[in-house]
């Protein structure tokens, strides 16, 4: 990855579902080591933005690149995606952690983590296993290698899903409401590992409703509502001194 380029760059992204324009000219760049939190009301387009960034969804207009890899460019007002090999390379640059873990229910913890690096990235099995075991330890999951997801708590499952994302050696990890399905106690253990990753300067984009977590962990906060970025800035500033009425109204609900 080129050092001087943003890890990911989304430029003037537009996305409609039928007549509904869900992303209206969204631009967002994330630099190496930066942690960006995306906050905002339900239906504002946060998940759609992450799905567009991670190629789970195509967008209509705009540009997307990962480092020097141009995934989609604008041609005659439309987004045109790169060839298969470009898309495949891009998919190795990011990890993704969902609200509902999305683990394979019949795979063990170890196999869940090792699957994509071996099957998709074609890496050496012994090498992947070594890394997977290190990540299991790092996520506080020692002793759970051979369990299947339903034998674990929600917090443990989410930590497996974070280990799975990290085992791809991504340049950036996207989180879509990683703690929304969890009780407060389990939420805390997941937020703790994300904080640890932030301290290690992992580049991350985190959609979250945990405002104090966002303020503590994020360098920058982006407030999205109605398919636009209404306001963004340093985390402290957006949380403690929001400028826009819509941001103020949203944050008031969390007091
Ligand atoms: P958020 O994550 O901020 O809650 P979403 O990105 O999930 O927002 O949704 C934004 C809007 O797009 C919502 O109005 C939602 O109903 C709509 N939407 C999301 N996905 C689809 C889809 N696959 N088909 C149609 N509408 C969708
Ligand atoms: Mg969402």
């Amino acid at each position: 990855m080129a050092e001087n380029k943003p890890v990911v760059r989304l430029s003037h992204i537009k996305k409609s579902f039928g007549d509904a324009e869900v992303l209206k000219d969204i631009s967002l760049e994330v630099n190496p080591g930066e942690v960006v939190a995306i906050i905002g009301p339900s239906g504002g387009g946060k998940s759609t933005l992450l799905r567009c960034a991670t190629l789970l969804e195509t967008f209509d207009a705009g540009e997307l690149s990962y480092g020097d890899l141009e995934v989609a460019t604008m041609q005659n007002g439309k987004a045109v995606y790169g060839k298969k090999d470009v898309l495949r390379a891009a998919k190795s640059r990011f990890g993704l952690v969902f609200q509902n873990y999305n683990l394979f229910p019949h795979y063990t913890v170890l196999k869940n983590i090792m699957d994509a690096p071996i099957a998709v990235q074609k890496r050496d099995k012994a090498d992947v296993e070594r890394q997977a075991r290190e990540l299991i330890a790092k996520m506080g999951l020692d002793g759970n290698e051979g369990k299947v997801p339903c034998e674990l708590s929600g917090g443990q499952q989410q930590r497996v899903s974070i280990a799975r994302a990290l085992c791809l050696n991504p340049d950036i990890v996207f989180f879509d409401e990683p703690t929304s399905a969890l009780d407060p106690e389990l939420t805390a253990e997941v937020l703790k590992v994300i904080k640890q990753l932030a301290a290690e300067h992992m580049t991350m984009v985190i959609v979250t409703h945990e405002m104090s977590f966002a303020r503590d962990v994020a360098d920058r906060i982006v407030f999205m509502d109605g398919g636009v970025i209404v306001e963004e800035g340093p985390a402290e500033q957006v949380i403690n001194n929001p400028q826009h009425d819509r941001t103020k109204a949203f944050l008031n609900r969390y007091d």
Side-chain angles (χ1 to χ4, degrees):
M1 188 187 61
E3 288 299 321
N4 55 344
K5 296 238 171 133
V7 180
V8 65
R9 175 175 162 270
L10 293 142
S11 180
H12 301 293
I13 302 293
K14 293 183 182 174
K15 167 72 178 172
S16 295
F17 291 110
D19 291 338
E21 195 175 21
V22 169
L23 299 177
K24 303 171 183 167
D25 200 17
I26 298 272
S27 295
L28 180 68
E29 290 185 359
V30 184
N31 291 311
E34 202 180 13
V35 178
V36 175
I38 303 179
I39 63 171
S42 178
K46 304 180 299 298
S47 293
T48 303
L49 181 63
L50 256 53
R51 292 174 61 79
C52 285
T54 55
L55 310 179
L56 292 173
E57 198 80 74
T58 56
F59 46 86
D60 308 317
E63 299 186 327
L64 169 64
S65 56
Y66 280 90
D68 50 9
L69 208 56
E70 291 187 341
V71 175
T73 53
M74 277 286 265
Q75 286 170 32
N76 303 321
K78 280 190 178 160
V80 176
Y81 282 79
K83 296 211 165 66
K84 253 188 190 158
D85 57 330
V86 172
L87 303 187
R88 193 180 307 124
K91 284 176 186 170
S92 262
R93 302 254 177 136
F94 57 79
L96 184 53
V97 175
F98 301 93
Q99 179 178 335
N100 293 314
Y101 334 129
N102 290 24
L103 298 170
F104 295 115
H106 53 291
Y107 281 7
T108 63
V109 165
L110 193 61
K111 196 162 157 59
N112 262 289
I113 298 169
M114 290 176 59
D115 187 60
I118 293 172
V120 182
Q121 295 183 326
K122 313 288 181 201
R123 283 171 53 201
D124 175 64
K125 191 175 171 198
D127 181 46
V128 172
E129 180 164 348
R130 202 173 311 121
Q131 187 182 4
R133 290 186 184 279
E134 277 172 23
L135 286 166
I136 285 169
K138 182 173 180 177
M139 293 295 127
L141 292 164
D142 273 327
N144 295 295
E145 295 80 353
K147 291 186 181 165
V148 289
C150 70
E151 296 178 282
L152 304 175
S153 72
Q156 289 172 321
Q157 290 188 53
Q158 191 59 299
R159 285 180 284 141
V160 174
S161 123
I162 295 171
R164 179 180 57 176
L166 295 173
C167 207
L168 295 163
N169 296 319
D171 293 336
I172 181 168
V173 182
F174 295 92
F175 296 81
D176 194 356
E177 300 196 25
T179 62
S180 292
L182 301 173
D183 299 337
E185 192 182 331
L186 303 181
T187 292
E189 67 187 37
V190 170
L191 295 183
K192 193 174 141 204
V193 301
I194 299 175
K195 263 187 196 168
Q196 186 189 339
L197 296 175
E200 295 168 5
H201 306 291
M202 183 78 219
T203 310
M204 298 187 280
V205 173
I206 310 166
V207 174
T208 185
H209 290 289
E210 300 284 339
M211 293 307 142
S212 62
F213 167 74
R215 187 188 51 212
D216 293 348
V217 82
D219 299 302
R220 184 151 53 101
I221 290 186
V222 171
F223 173 66
M224 267 183 84
D225 187 12
V228 300
I229 293 177
V230 175
E231 175 166 356
E232 67 177 306
E236 285 276 337
Q237 179 192 304
V238 173
I239 299 282
N240 297 340
N241 189 21
Q243 300 299 303
H244 201 287
D245 285 343
R246 278 200 272 172
T247 321
K248 288 177 193 168
F250 175 76
L251 290 170
N252 274 337
R253 288 187 235 156
Y254 288 89
D255 281 349

